[in-house]
């Protein structure tokens, strides 16, 4: 067993060393085998076990057939182990296998393990074995395949979905007549609603065939439904079929755009929380393409943050929406929305982060966005929008505000990198996932001068509803509306003291995903108490939307049975 111990090299294993290691040192190490005689080995395969925990940097494997004078191209040694301030996924020891067919029948073989530019944690390698095994194995790679352009898309905004997947021959014999079938199935009916095949031909051993998009896109019907997309790799002589299929899910909804599934829909917390190290003033958000926006407005939007120490992390979060006018003319590969390419359309009121809030409350915050005139934000046809949440802590002495997000390596259903490439390269379309930006202060002037750049390492939870919202639907936080008891069990009293009489007042009780669970109306209301029956509402946290002729206001309601 051998360990490449970045942490020990960087810090000496002490707290003092950790404090002094800023910026962190980077280390590159190589473990090289002695000469190995494979002259009688027709199908050499290297196997080993690893515990791979680098915070930064990469790990590689290479082989030499001339006693170390020259080396093969480096092969990335992947790991599912991740442990940072933003994400945790520790699976432990992993088994790794590489074909080294280029070393077959060579008497002067060496193996090389390289850890490149690591700063913390370690790479542990154990039980390195070379076997003589004929392997016919081609796989559909999990790290790069196109999914739908959104996890949720409103029925009025259905749009083309591209298809792409990388395949790799990880064996040591050629795989012949390779093809991938792409299908889409309506999960409610079981009907296959789309199918096409991409031919790859013969794939040599130890080779990657990547970035080939399927010839056609598919546009879902304009009806609410759930779908499963599937890629299935087929060939003449693949002997391992367990790694040939990848699936993903997406939905057509009434009125919601979303890049990831909400935790309420998933049945519990499953998303991580993201913040760049030592960056307090950051912007996070999602790209949404709206093909048919005329006559529609932006409705409630949601997002979540994690703040470890609410008592000492006072500050603000502001949500804004921009129209992005230069999504297809970048001049580089990073897709940057700089301040000259975007126009601010609407903002939320500042969300104040204090210890009066709970971790549950800030994990799913819903706000409304309005123009400078207090009107709903209007959408247009064939337009690109960036919905961004700006973290604005009062100081850098408290906890970072970490955005709730899906880490795309472990949740590929929400990885839009391959979708972006397939749409752009194959069909001249611009479809993206999450954007981020970094500033130096909490000032909004600083926010508006930031670049927002595409970031495919994670995808933010930031759904957006669209619909028709009139001026009567304007947020009016000055409405004198009180609710009691709170928590409540069977009934809720809404006490209204309005400046003007409202012929109709509507009460909508919604869950954290915006689903309306109860609707009531009262008539000719100005100074009144209205009783709402919530006996059938299960325990939980809800929002009561009170709509009057002078605007509306949202009130949090806790139901406890």
């Amino acid at each position: 067993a051998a360990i490449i111990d970045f942490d020990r090299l960087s810090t000496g294993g002490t707290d003092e060393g950790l404090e002094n290691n800023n910026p962190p040192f980077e280390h590159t190490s190589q473990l090289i085998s002695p000469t190995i005689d494979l002259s009688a080995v027709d199908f050499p395969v290297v196997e080993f076990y690893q515990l791979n925990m680098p915070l930064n940097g990469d790990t590689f494997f290479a082989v030499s057939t001339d006693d170390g004078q020259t080396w093969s191209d480096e092969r990335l040694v992947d790991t599912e182990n991740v442990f940072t301030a933003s994400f945790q996924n520790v699976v432990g020891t992993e088994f790794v296998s590489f074909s080294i067919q280029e070393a077959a029948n060579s008497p002067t073989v060496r193996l090389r393990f390289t850890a490149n530019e690591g700063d913390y944690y370690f790479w542990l390698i154990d039980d390195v074995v070379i076997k003589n095994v004929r392997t016919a194995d081609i796989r559909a790679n999990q790290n790069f395949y196109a999914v739908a352009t959104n996890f949720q898309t409103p029925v009025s905004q259905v749009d083309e979905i591209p298809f792409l997947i990388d395949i790799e021959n990880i064996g040591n014999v050629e795989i012949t007549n390779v093809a991938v079938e792409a299908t889409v199935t309506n999960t409610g009916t079981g009907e296959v609603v789309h199918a096409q095949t991409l031919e790859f031909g013969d794939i040599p051993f130890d080779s990657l065939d990547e970035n080939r998009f399927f010839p056609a896109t598919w546009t879902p019907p304009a009806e609410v439904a759930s779908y499963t997309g599937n890629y299935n790799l087929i060939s003449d002589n693949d002997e391992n079929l367990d790694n040939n299929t990848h699936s993903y899910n997406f939905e057509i909804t009434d009125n919601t755009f979303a890049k990831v599934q909400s935790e309420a829909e998933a049945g519990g917390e499953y998303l991580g929380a993201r913040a760049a190290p030592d960056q307090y003033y950051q912007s996070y958000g999602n790209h949404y393409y709206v093909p048919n926006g005329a006559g529609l407005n932006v409705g409630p939007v949601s997002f979540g943050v994690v703040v470890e120490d609410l008592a000492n992390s006072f500050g603000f979060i502001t949500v804004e929406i921009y129209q992005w006018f230069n999504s297809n003319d970048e001049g580089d590969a990073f897709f940057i929305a700089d301040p000259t390419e975007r126009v601010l359309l609407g903002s939320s009121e500042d969300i104040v982060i204090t210890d009066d809030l709970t971790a549950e409350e800030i994990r799913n915050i819903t706000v409304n966005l309005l123009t400078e005139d207090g009107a709903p934000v209007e959408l247009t046809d064939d337009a690109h929008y960036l919905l961004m949440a700006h973290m604005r802590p009062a100081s850098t002495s408290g906890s970072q505000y970490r955005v709730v997000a899906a880490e795309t390596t472990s949740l590929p259903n929400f990885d839009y990198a391959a979708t972006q490439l397939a749409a752009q390269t194959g069909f001249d379309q611009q479809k993206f996932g999450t954007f981020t930006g970094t500033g130096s202060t909490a000032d909004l002037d600083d926010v508006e001068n930031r670049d927002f750049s595409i970031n495919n390492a994670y995808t933010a939870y930031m759904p957006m509803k669209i619909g028709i919202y009139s001026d009567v639907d304007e947020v009016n936080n000055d409405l004198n509306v009180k609710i009691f008891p709170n928590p409540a069990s069977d009934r809720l009293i809404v006490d209204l003291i309005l400046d003007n009489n409202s012929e109709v007042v509507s009460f909508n009780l919604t869950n954290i995903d915006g689903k309306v669970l109860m609707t009531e109306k009262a008539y000719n209301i100005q100074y009144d108490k209205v009783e709402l029956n919530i006996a059938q509402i299960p325990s939980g946290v809800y929002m009561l939307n009170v709509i009057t002729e002078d605007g509306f206001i949202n009130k949090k309601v806790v139901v406890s049975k």
Side-chain angles (χ1 to χ4, degrees):
I3 185 169
I4 299 172
D5 195 341
F6 306 124
D7 209 87
R8 187 76 178 183
L9 292 170
S10 295
T11 70
T14 67
D15 290 340
E16 182 181 5
L18 178 63
E19 293 175 1
N20 293 334
N21 187 37
N22 189 17
F25 302 119
E26 294 180 347
H27 308 279
T28 296
S29 295
Q30 292 185 328
L31 175 66
I32 301 175
S33 77
T35 303
I36 305 166
D37 184 0
L38 299 182
S39 56
V41 179
D42 297 325
F43 299 103
V45 175
V46 172
E47 298 178 352
F48 60 94
Y49 289 91
Q50 68 167 356
L51 184 51
N52 197 340
M53 289 284 294
L55 177 60
N56 293 300
D58 292 301
T59 52
F60 300 96
F61 170 79
V63 62
S64 171
T65 59
D66 55 12
D67 208 23
Q69 296 182 56
T70 61
W71 294 90
S72 68
D73 291 339
E74 299 279 13
R75 306 179 204 186
L76 181 68
V77 182
D78 289 320
T79 179
E80 294 184 39
N81 291 309
V82 180
F83 188 82
T84 72
S86 301
F87 184 74
Q88 179 173 330
N89 181 60
V90 181
V91 299
T93 303
E94 299 167 302
F95 175 75
V96 182
S97 176
F98 286 111
S99 167
I100 52 170
Q101 191 61 29
E102 64 266 52
N105 308 121
S106 172
T108 53
V109 176
R110 284 192 167 192
L111 312 180
R112 184 176 72 189
F113 301 85
T114 301
N116 187 54
E117 297 181 353
D119 49 17
Y120 287 112
Y121 310 143
F122 57 87
W123 187 25
L124 176 64
I125 303 163
D126 196 8
D127 294 339
V128 181
V129 177
I130 298 178
K131 293 182 177 180
N132 189 8
V133 181
R134 180 187 178 279
T135 305
D137 189 5
I138 190 167
R139 70 184 179 191
N141 277 351
Q142 179 174 319
N143 67 326
F144 207 73
Y145 61 88
V147 299
T149 51
N150 303 297
F151 175 70
Q152 292 179 327
T153 301
V155 67
S156 62
Q157 308 301 319
V158 292
D159 192 27
E160 295 176 270
I161 296 174
F163 301 87
L164 176 150
I165 192 167
D166 289 352
I167 64 172
E168 186 173 8
N169 186 344
I170 58 175
N172 48 27
V173 298
E174 183 178 66
I175 306 295
T176 58
N177 291 326
V178 178
V180 177
E181 299 171 333
T183 59
V184 179
T185 302
N186 184 309
T187 53
T189 66
E191 177 188 3
V192 177
V193 294
H194 177 74
Q196 61 176 311
T197 301
L198 180 61
E199 304 285 347
F200 285 82
D202 300 339
I203 306 297
F205 68 84
D206 191 28
S207 62
L208 171 67
D209 196 319
E210 61 181 348
N211 300 341
R212 288 216 273 164
F213 52 87
F214 284 66
T217 62
W218 176 71
T219 302
E223 56 189 37
V224 174
S226 298
Y227 295 96
T228 299
N230 186 74
Y231 295 100
N232 184 42
L233 188 154
I234 56 177
S235 66
D236 286 342
N237 57 324
D238 185 10
E239 297 175 358
N240 177 19
L241 305 183
D242 293 338
N243 53 9
N244 288 9
T245 301
H246 291 303
S247 299
Y248 59 95
N249 301 309
F250 61 99
E251 301 174 357
I252 307 302
T253 68
D254 286 324
N255 62 352
T256 302
F257 276 113
K259 293 293 183 182
V260 303
Q261 185 181 32
S262 74
E263 293 183 326
E265 292 170 323
E269 289 187 9
Y270 77 101
L271 298 171
R274 166 72 188 186
D278 301 320
Q279 297 293 332
Y280 281 78
Y281 307 113
Q282 289 207 295
S283 301
Y284 306 90
N286 288 337
H287 166 267
Y288 292 116
Y289 171 66
V290 177
N292 308 303
L296 298 176
N297 307 102
V298 176
V301 302
S302 300
F303 71 101
V305 293
V306 173
V307 182
E308 300 296 342
D309 184 7
L310 281 168
N312 296 296
S313 305
F314 174 78
F316 308 92
I317 301 174
T318 306
V319 181
E320 296 184 323
I321 187 167
Y322 305 81
Q323 187 169 353
W324 182 21
F325 289 96
N326 197 29
S327 63
N328 60 351
D329 185 21
E330 294 306 315
D332 59 42
F334 297 103
F335 293 97
I336 298 172
D338 70 47
T340 66
E341 299 174 342
R342 63 182 192 252
V343 172
L344 177 62
L345 301 180
S347 304
S348 72
E349 292 189 350
D350 288 341
I351 299 102
V352 184
I353 302 299
T354 72
D355 57 0
D356 291 334
L357 301 172
T358 66
E360 181 181 5
E361 287 173 327
I362 65 172
R363 195 171 179 87
N364 196 326
I365 302 169
T366 299
V367 297
N368 292 284
L369 307 183
L370 299 174
T371 66
E372 287 185 349
D373 298 328
V377 175
E378 296 180 355
L379 299 170
T380 59
D381 290 346
D382 187 25
H384 296 265
Y385 296 94
L386 295 175
L387 180 64
M388 307 295 296
H390 309 300
M391 310 302 161
R392 303 170 55 212
S395 75
T396 59
S397 61
S399 299
Q400 287 182 282
Y401 298 176
R402 297 190 286 132
V403 68
V404 173
E407 202 276 336
T408 54
T409 299
S410 59
L411 295 169
N413 200 125
F414 310 127
D415 185 350
Y416 296 95
T419 307
Q420 172 190 331
L421 179 64
Q424 174 197 355
T425 304
F427 304 98
D428 194 27
Q429 301 173 2
Q430 307 304 318
K431 307 294 171 61
F432 307 97
T434 286
F435 280 71
T436 63
T438 300
S440 57
T441 74
D443 295 338
L444 284 176
D445 286 344
D446 182 87
V447 168
E448 303 312 332
N449 286 305
R450 294 175 190 171
D451 288 344
F452 301 146
S453 304
I454 188 71
N455 192 319
N456 291 314
Y458 57 92
T459 302
Y461 166 70
M462 193 166 286
M464 175 178 78
K465 295 184 182 298
I466 63 171
I468 300 173
Y469 298 88
S470 67
D471 289 342
V472 173
D473 293 325
E474 292 177 15
V475 176
N476 184 351
N477 288 314
D478 293 328
L479 287 174
N480 192 345
V481 176
K482 299 178 181 178
I483 57 174
F484 62 90
N486 196 9
S489 58
D490 298 317
R491 66 190 186 104
L492 192 68
I493 306 299
V494 184
D495 187 4
L496 302 102
I497 303 176
L498 306 179
D499 292 336
N500 302 295
N501 183 77
S502 278
E503 292 186 8
V504 180
V505 175
S506 298
F507 306 88
N508 298 324
L509 189 71
T510 66
N511 63 15
I512 58 176
D513 294 318
K515 181 179 179 181
V516 178
L517 303 180
M518 184 188 74
T519 297
E520 299 286 348
K521 294 185 183 294
Y523 301 93
N524 294 318
I525 298 295
Q526 186 168 7
Y527 313 114
D528 294 273
K529 290 181 173 64
V530 178
E531 181 176 322
L532 302 178
N533 183 353
I534 58 171
Q536 303 304 314
I537 302 299
S539 297
V541 179
Y542 302 88
M543 293 300 295
L544 181 66
N545 183 227
V546 182
I547 305 171
T548 77
E549 293 178 9
D550 290 330
F552 72 86
I553 191 169
N554 289 318
K555 293 289 187 179
K556 185 180 74 172
V557 174
V558 177
V559 177
S560 178
K561 301 296 186 181

